[in-house]
Amino acid sequence: MRPERLNPLFAMADTLRGVGPRLEKPLARLGLKRVKDVAYHLPDRFVERRRVKVLRDAKAGDHIIVQLTVVEHRASAGRAPFRVVARDEAGDMVSLTYFGRASHGARKALPVGERREVAGRLEEYGQSLQIVHPDHVSPIAPVPVAACATDGSEAANVLQGADLLCEPVYPLTDGLTNHRMQSLVAQAMQPAPPLPEWIEPGLMQKQGWSSWRDALEEAHRSGRKEARNRLAYDELLASALALMLVRADNRRRRGPALIGTGTLRGRLQLPFSLTGAQQRSIREIEGDLAQQHPMLRLLQGDVGSGKTVVALNAMLIAVEAGGQAALLAPTEILARQHHQTLCELAQGTGVEIAILTGRDKGRAREAILMGLLDGSIDIIVGTHAIFQDTVNYRNLVLVVVDEQHRFGVGQRLSLTRKARQTAHCLAMTATPIPRTLTLAQYGEMEVSRLDELPPGRKAIDTRVVALDRLDDVAAGLVRHVEAGGQAYWVCPMVHENESADLAAAEARFATLREMLGDAVALVHGQLRPEAKDAAMARFVAGQAKVLVATTVIEVGVNVPNASLMIIEQAERFGLAQLHQLRGRVGRGAEQSVCLLLRGDTLSATARDRLALMRETQDGFRLAEEDLRLRGAGELLGTRQSGDTPFRVATPEQISAMIAIAHDDARLLIDRDGGLQGPRGEAARTLLYLFERDYGVQLLRGG
Ligand code: ADP
Ligand code: MG
């Protein structure tokens, strides 16, 4: 059971004051489900805001707070924004400017004749001054003052005084203002109790860390590195502990020792010979399967490195040993693709391979359930549906999980427990991650790496193209389609400007449609799943020639006829993401091309990223470089979701501290394996706090 003192933090976020139905969606988009998530929603940066008496004391570009009297409202006409004209104590005027729906709130918040305190960035607009979408507007009241220490330096710490304020700027999404976020965070912090210390005292002292509660408060108040590092460390320690508990538990468990006879594998007639990396991986898996305890192995290999045939070999060993194997895919489409590929590859082995997804109903489903129960089906491919309670196996001995990062450790555990004994587990991921991160993410598993591509792959011709050559690019796309090819056109989509991004993607879709008609399909994250699947299916079937997409196509879709990938605003993507996207092409016989369209203002790091994309196609190298470039300090606030299993720790913090966390976790478990002592108790709290409680459950069960 979760320790009681954590309960307030686990209350749903909508129990916070002011969270009504209108805020639910924006909060959900940011992943803020519970009070604790809000408390952990840390600022991207801080702005120094100056309190000024009159506008003349500030210059354009300054973030200010000033007291103003509202003079008049100028309604928006046509495309013109809504303006509130206000004057300061000296009589100077400033226009508070609101676009679109934002004007509704402004009317109420700024009644004519009233005095208000307004915070925002002062700008010059022609001859006059304006503040566009003020960060907040409030009745006159004293405001608490904090020191700004965005870089953690001593000099910044001494900056104090009534006229300098330090304000956190939070990651936001449509429908949430920074001001509102500040108040939600403040509320969410209130029930945060002091917690027992789980970090080793020596380490605390050495790093200059404060207690959990103090660190959390400080992280919202200033950018002091120590506070954020401590919070990140907590998360890393929780993860390391949980993974170690899983490993220890796994060693205690008995699994079916599977010794393959080789008969089925002997009948495989592959149209190619296996690469060295594939052979090595299969040997490693074979070794694991022969053990008395369940395999926990990750097969890591770039897109196209040939994971499927490795998985097939593993599954054939399971069948040779008299068992059944299941392959779990994250989506319906991927399940179907896997099923088809496996059937083709395994032709002639006589192995029975079936598919089961949420779509299969009635008779067909019944037949498959029967086959699983009586053992006539050897291998089942499917989505989560294959692990529903109504699905029973005669003898499930191996579970293969594709695109592993979509499933958490806890989820995977529950899947392998479906078997009578714990089944062996092979996880596969196409996301090459740096070695340091492998430990953090898959620390409980052994790793096989497919670091060698099958021979004869043509390199993808990657070019960086300035956006002002869009017309040429579009013309090239038309020629490509007319010649019978298919193409992806990817538009960026991030939380911060979701609606603008969505509009851009839709606009692009519309233009391409004008040129190519029905042959263009659109998928984005806000479509209903059925609509998304339908559009994808049209593209897979070749009915649609161009797929305009936000990044939702990342995961494993295989359309060999698509040999052109166009990525718009490529500078806004991280290297790992660009690499994943590019991997969608280069799967057929055709020479593939990837065009990275870039805007005209590029940061140095963005330029480096794009250059690297041109230079190499080695996913492992790109992953290492990605990490290094982030270390250079960019990308705060544009973190790619699904990157790592961590919400608090950044990739840099992970590389810097994961090894320490692992050593610390090991020491703790060596000394107090049942987590019974005071620090052990604190560590249990930590596991619950970060929802790694499957670790605690293993302790109990153990
Ligand atoms: P992944 O799942 O790792 O992205 P796949 O298993 O889908 O890659 O393999 C990609 C393609 O390469 C498939 O068409 C597959 O048949 C082919 N392939 C796999 N192994 C080899 C090999 N050793 N030699 C040549 N082609 C291979
Ligand atoms: Mg694959």
Side-chain angles (χ1 to χ4, degrees):
M1 287 295 281
R2 181 193 303 141
E4 204 145 306
R5 51 155 71 92
L6 288 181
N7 285 346
L9 287 170
F10 277 80
M12 299 308 283
D14 62 12
T15 58
L16 295 173
R17 243 180 311 112
V19 178
R22 292 222 345 252
L23 278 192
E24 247 162 49
K25 264 204 183 151
L27 287 176
R29 273 203 295 270
L30 291 171
L32 309 181
K33 268 209 320 254
R34 305 190 179 258
V35 168
K36 141 190 100 80
D37 302 326
V38 178
Y40 264 104
H41 193 57
L42 302 180
D44 269 342
R45 60 196 164 87
F46 291 81
V47 289
E48 272 179 29
R49 225 185 255 298
R50 260 186 332 127
R51 176 180 294 284
V52 293
K53 243 178 118 56
V54 290
L55 295 161
R56 263 176 238 167
D57 290 346
K59 56 184 189 326
D62 287 356
H63 291 273
I64 57 165
I65 296 183
V66 64
Q67 296 191 358
L68 299 171
T69 305
V70 179
V71 178
E72 68 165 314
H73 289 177
R74 286 196 194 142
S76 53
R79 291 177 147 242
F82 174 66
R83 290 178 191 280
V84 175
V85 180
R87 115 177 102 65
D88 70 4
E89 270 179 20
D92 286 331
M93 297 294 191
V94 59
S95 156
L96 312 176
T97 306
Y98 293 89
F99 292 91
R101 274 182 305 172
S103 61
H104 300 317
R107 259 173 230 282
K108 265 204 239 138
L110 292 156
V112 174
E114 296 285 311
R115 263 163 76 77
R116 287 288 182 270
E117 188 162 81
V118 176
R121 188 169 171 277
L122 191 66
E123 290 171 14
E124 260 160 3
Y125 179 68
Q127 294 301 312
S128 48
L129 293 172
Q130 75 169 356
I131 296 175
V132 178
H133 288 190
D135 296 321
H136 47 91
V137 169
S138 44
I140 311 292
V143 182
V145 172
C148 244
T150 46
D151 57 357
S153 71
E154 284 302 313
N157 274 326
V158 296
L159 272 180
Q160 279 199 357
D163 62 347
L164 193 62
L165 306 165
C166 185
E167 242 185 53
V169 180
Y170 290 99
L172 295 174
T173 181
D174 282 349
L176 256 179
T177 62
N178 196 50
H179 194 48
R180 172 51 70 81
M181 194 51 115
Q182 286 178 22
S183 96
L184 293 180
V185 167
Q187 271 190 69
M189 287 294 299
Q190 268 168 17
L195 296 177
E197 189 54 69
W198 46 75
I199 300 181
E200 210 254 312
L203 184 62
M204 293 272 292
Q205 203 169 25
K206 184 163 153 229
Q207 303 282 353
W209 286 343
S210 38
S211 74
W212 172 77
R213 165 91 226 205
D214 288 351
L216 192 54
E217 256 170 26
E218 197 176 352
H220 287 285
R221 215 176 339 107
S222 83
R224 205 170 72 92
K225 273 207 300 283
E226 286 80 357
R228 281 185 91 123
N229 282 348
R230 182 214 148 118
L231 297 178
Y233 185 80
D234 290 346
E235 193 181 33
L236 296 175
L237 183 62
S239 156
L241 263 174
L243 295 178
M244 245 165 244
L245 292 171
V246 171
R247 238 181 211 263
D249 169 76
N250 203 63
R251 268 197 300 268
R252 284 195 301 269
R253 270 171 202 279
R254 296 188 71 78
L258 304 177
I259 314 279
T261 55
T263 47
L264 297 175
R265 281 172 289 163
R267 279 187 234 149
L268 265 185
Q269 289 177 333
L270 298 176
F272 45 76
S273 46
L274 297 175
T275 64
Q278 283 171 323
Q279 289 172 19
R280 191 185 61 232
S281 301
I282 293 170
R283 270 201 308 276
E284 286 165 351
I285 292 167
E286 197 170 6
D288 285 0
L289 291 176
Q291 303 292 314
Q292 290 285 348
H293 53 248
M295 166 169 79
L296 276 178
R297 183 170 287 275
L298 176 72
L299 179 62
Q300 210 184 2
D302 226 325
V303 170
S305 58
K307 292 184 290 298
T308 317
V309 69
V310 174
L312 175 61
N313 272 275
M315 294 194 285
L316 289 179
I317 295 173
V319 179
E320 285 169 2
Q324 290 168 303
L327 190 157
L328 178 66
T331 66
E332 163 101 24
I333 298 174
L334 282 173
R336 300 215 173 272
Q337 284 193 347
H338 270 309
H339 179 244
Q340 199 184 342
T341 318
L342 291 174
C343 287
E344 281 162 20
L345 287 172
Q347 232 174 32
T349 59
V351 168
E352 187 61 33
I353 306 177
I355 177 162
L356 181 66
T357 72
R359 294 270 171 82
D360 300 303
K361 302 255 154 67
R363 282 262 178 76
R365 185 182 145 87
E366 288 306 314
I368 289 171
L369 294 190
M370 274 311 293
L372 289 173
L373 194 58
D374 68 18
S376 55
I377 293 174
D378 302 304
I379 294 176
I380 182 82
V381 180
T383 55
H384 267 109
I386 60 178
F387 290 109
Q388 279 161 3
D389 283 340
T390 48
V391 183
N392 291 299
Y393 294 83
R394 193 175 78 90
N395 186 20
L396 178 66
V397 293
L398 170 65
V399 176
V400 180
V401 187
D402 194 16
E403 295 302 344
Q404 143 76 22
H405 59 285
R406 295 235 157 172
F407 304 98
V409 179
Q411 231 176 343
R412 193 175 56 239
L413 281 177
S414 71
L415 297 184
T416 51
R417 301 289 142 85
K418 186 79 188 179
R420 261 183 297 167
Q421 288 174 297
T422 306
H424 295 278
C425 179
L426 176 67
M428 303 197 288
T429 174
T431 315
I433 49 178
R435 284 188 188 275
T436 48
L437 297 194
T438 310
L439 182 61
Q441 197 151 351
Y442 303 110
E444 94 283 22
M445 309 185 107
E446 307 295 334
V447 178
S448 296
R449 279 187 159 202
L450 290 182
D451 47 11
E452 178 188 352
L453 284 185
R457 263 315 124 75
K458 289 202 197 92
I460 298 167
D461 181 3
T462 303
R463 294 180 227 160
V464 180
V465 181
L467 190 60
D468 54 22
R469 288 184 48 208
L470 189 64
D471 288 347
D472 296 345
V473 172
L477 174 69
V478 172
R479 282 196 303 278
H480 178 80
V481 169
E482 280 168 0
Q486 284 176 279
Y488 297 95
W489 190 301
V490 178
C491 303
M493 171 78 101
V494 292
H495 283 315
E496 286 88 282
N497 33 16
E498 225 164 47
S499 52
D501 282 343
L502 187 59
E506 272 168 351
R508 182 63 65 224
F509 173 62
T511 4
L512 293 176
R513 231 184 147 110
E514 267 168 34
M515 297 174 2
L516 289 159
D518 267 358
V520 190
L522 173 68
V523 288
H524 58 72
Q526 294 189 9
L527 286 181
R528 279 174 299 113
E530 309 86 70
K532 214 185 305 182
D533 280 3
M536 287 302 299
R538 271 202 339 120
F539 186 69
V540 172
Q543 288 152 349
K545 303 295 180 193
V546 179
L547 186 70
V548 179
T550 57
T551 48
V552 289
I553 51 161
E554 264 182 76
V555 179
V557 170
N558 188 21
V559 181
N561 190 44
S563 56
L564 175 59
M565 165 66 64
I566 298 168
I567 304 176
E568 223 177 299
Q569 298 188 54
E571 71 273 14
R572 287 177 57 192
F573 292 88
L575 267 180
Q577 245 179 336
L578 287 173
H579 177 66
Q580 284 285 319
L581 287 167
R582 178 170 61 182
R584 301 296 112 224
V585 298
R587 308 189 140 219
E590 290 289 305
Q591 168 68 54
S592 289
V593 176
C594 174
L595 300 180
L596 303 171
L597 302 190
R598 61 160 181 83
D600 41 9
T601 48
L602 281 196
S603 70
T605 333
R607 194 167 313 214
D608 284 355
R609 278 208 301 271
L610 296 186
L612 266 164
M613 281 297 292
R614 248 185 359 218
E615 192 184 308
T616 180
Q617 236 163 284
D618 175 346
F620 289 108
R621 162 138 192 250
L622 286 169
E624 298 286 350
E625 295 287 347
D626 199 27
L627 188 62
R628 191 181 58 78
L629 287 175
R630 287 181 206 219
E634 230 196 53
L635 280 179
L636 241 190
T638 49
R639 287 179 66 181
Q640 301 152 36
S641 58
D643 251 3
T644 73
F646 301 109
R647 298 198 48 182
V648 183
T650 62
E652 307 85 77
Q653 288 172 320
I654 300 170
S655 355
M657 298 188 295
I658 188 70
I660 308 176
H662 267 261
D663 289 349
D664 200 12
R666 181 161 302 124
L667 262 177
L668 179 58
I669 289 184
D670 282 351
R671 274 190 221 140
D672 179 11
L675 300 183
Q676 298 297 340
R679 235 195 111 201
E681 279 294 331
R684 284 173 190 242
T685 307
L686 173 70
L687 288 169
Y688 277 103
L689 180 64
F690 283 100
E691 293 171 82
R692 304 294 208 275
D693 30 319
Y694 52 82
V696 184
Q697 268 130 42
L698 294 180
L699 277 176
R700 295 269 159 74

